[in-house]
Amino acid sequence: MFIRKHRILSIALAVSFLAMLPPSSHASVSMTLPQYVNEILLNNHSLRAGIKNVEAGYYSVLASVAYQRPATSATLTGSYATRQQTEDNVMAGTSGLRLTQRIDISGSYKLDEKQSIMGYEATRANFDNTINTLIAAAEETWWSAVLARENMKLQKEILLQRSENHRVTMEKYNQELVPKLDIVRSEAQVVAAETLVKNAETTYLNLIAELSLMAGGLDVEPVDEELKVPEFDVALNFEDALEFRPDVRAARINLERAKIVKKLTAKGLSPTLDFAFQFTPWSDPEYYATPNNRQAGASLSLTLPITDGKATKYRLFNTDRLIQAAESNLDALREQTRRDITVAMNNWRNASAAEQDKQRQVERAEEELKITELMYAEGMGAQIDLINAQTAYQAVRTEYLDAVKNMYVALVAMRKAIGDYSPDENGTWREAVQRYGKGKDVLGETGFTVLRTNRKK
């Protein structure tokens, strides 16, 4: 049984709330990953734009079905004419109230409303996919920054080691125990280490800049804490991934909508029935308007289309091809989901195995370096052996950090593949109808407040 573990991040993404947010401070802030994700969801400018587009789609649906409701109008007219023969002038005026309503006798109203609402739900699902993609990119960048900082610390540690070795070499040279070549080599090692420190610092600062961009310009940095090797805590289930992954959900909604549009298009030659009611509050002369002064009238108009130049026929061909395209798109996303899960799992296994292997190599390289440093300090070892040991130690330590980073990246890819960073909503038509039936501004009232995740606390 697939068990989905939830971690609620308490994120107020309602449009009305976002509009009142104060500008972010640019002071550097140290924070945890959940805090950083919260900042992204509140302050990322792309998400703000996406929310506005979703809100616009909401009102677009309400406007698109307005023709199904009764329409009323009021008119006031006046005229003035001259009679050339009698030279008498004629003035006339009238006012009127009119109510019109198209009566749905073909069942197209319900279909049109349904396809409009499902179009909005597809927009919401696509926005959820934007969140899923953005948060995945943000977390991957976060862990890359964390590991870049660890690498920066490593390079500084190696620089200290090589500086100490250079000092020892200088002392030996002053005592005429080693040749000038040893000083040249040890100094070259120090310069190389300084370059690696600068490169590591640049990489870290660039990643911090990326984190700031995704947080809406807020200067942030990961909290400095002990680096832990991640554990695999994602509950894998392909069918559940298809249910929760937002781009798959959007494709599924689009397919259902395409089928509804085809049914609606098939009613292109259906009869229409229009009802009209009109009342004339005032008319002068009394018989100037129809209905006459203070009289009312009602009418029913039935229209039976005969031909439309084969427009309905070809529109049906069009909708049929759109259904086929939607089916193929859904199948492609299903296969992509399977691929993404498989690749992420393979990468996790490879990174996990590499981490264990590199951990053992680090232990051996560290022991070898200590022995080599001791032998060189005592004058029992050659400098080239020390340099080789230092180089090997640096390489294996760097490779270990890369393996740990790849483990985090693989977990992020796995969570993204199953839609774990997207809001937890099913986006069904029935749910949307309940919201629209009440005529509420759903986005302004509830917003996106919960994210579903599988990770362990």
Side-chain angles (χ1 to χ4, degrees), residues 227-240:
L227 178 66
K228 297 181 180 179
V229 178
E231 297 180 2
F232 189 84
D233 55 1
V234 180
L236 287 178
N237 185 300
F238 177 68
E239 295 302 325
D240 287 319

Side-chain angles (χ1 to χ4, degrees), residues 157-270:
E157 175 187 332
I158 292 174
L159 174 59
L160 290 176
Q161 291 178 349
R162 294 188 176 180
S163 297
E164 175 62 18
N165 292 335
H166 180 61
R167 186 191 65 80
V168 173
T169 302
M170 286 292 297
E171 290 183 355
K172 287 188 174 185
Y173 175 76
N174 292 333
Q175 298 174 9
E176 298 183 355
L177 298 176
V178 295
K180 178 70 174 181
L181 179 61
D182 282 11
I183 292 183
V184 174
R185 287 174 177 171
S186 64
E187 186 175 4
Q189 291 294 302
V190 172
V191 173
E194 290 175 344
T195 301
L196 292 176
V197 168
K198 293 177 182 177
N199 292 339
E201 290 176 341
T202 300
T203 300
Y204 176 69
L205 292 176
N206 288 343
L207 290 169
I208 291 298
E210 289 292 329
L211 293 178
S212 175
L213 173 65
M214 286 185 280
L218 178 67
D219 291 335
V220 301
E221 61 179 359
V223 62
D224 195 358
E225 56 187 2
E226 181 183 357
L227 178 66
K228 297 181 180 179
V229 178
E231 297 180 2
F232 189 84
D233 55 1
V234 180
L236 287 178
N237 185 300
F238 177 68
E239 295 302 325
D240 287 319
L242 293 180
E243 178 182 353
F244 291 106
R245 181 164 161 151
D247 55 349
V248 176
R249 175 159 54 87
R252 193 163 54 241
I253 293 174
N254 284 329
L255 175 58
E256 293 302 316
R257 184 192 183 200
K259 293 178 180 179
I260 294 172
V261 170
K262 182 178 181 179
K263 293 179 182 180
L264 182 62
T265 303
K267 297 181 180 294
L269 291 175
S270 298

Side-chain angles (χ1 to χ4, degrees), residues 62 81 106 175 195 216 271 320 324 388 410:
L62 295 181
S106 63
Q175 298 174 9
T195 301
D320 184 66
Q324 295 177 24
N388 290 338

Side-chain angles (χ1 to χ4, degrees), residues 9 64 77 113 157 159 235 284 288 303 309 368 373 388 402 453 457:
L9 297 182
S64 68
T77 61
E113 180 183 24
E157 175 187 332
L159 174 59
D284 183 24
Y288 182 71
T303 303
E368 180 182 354
E373 287 178 338
N388 290 338
D402 287 339
T453 61
K457 295 182 179 180

Side-chain angles (χ1 to χ4, degrees), residues 289-305:
T290 302
N292 301 151
N293 184 45
R294 295 187 179 181
Q295 291 187 357
S299 65
L300 281 175
S301 176
L302 178 65
T303 303
L304 300 173

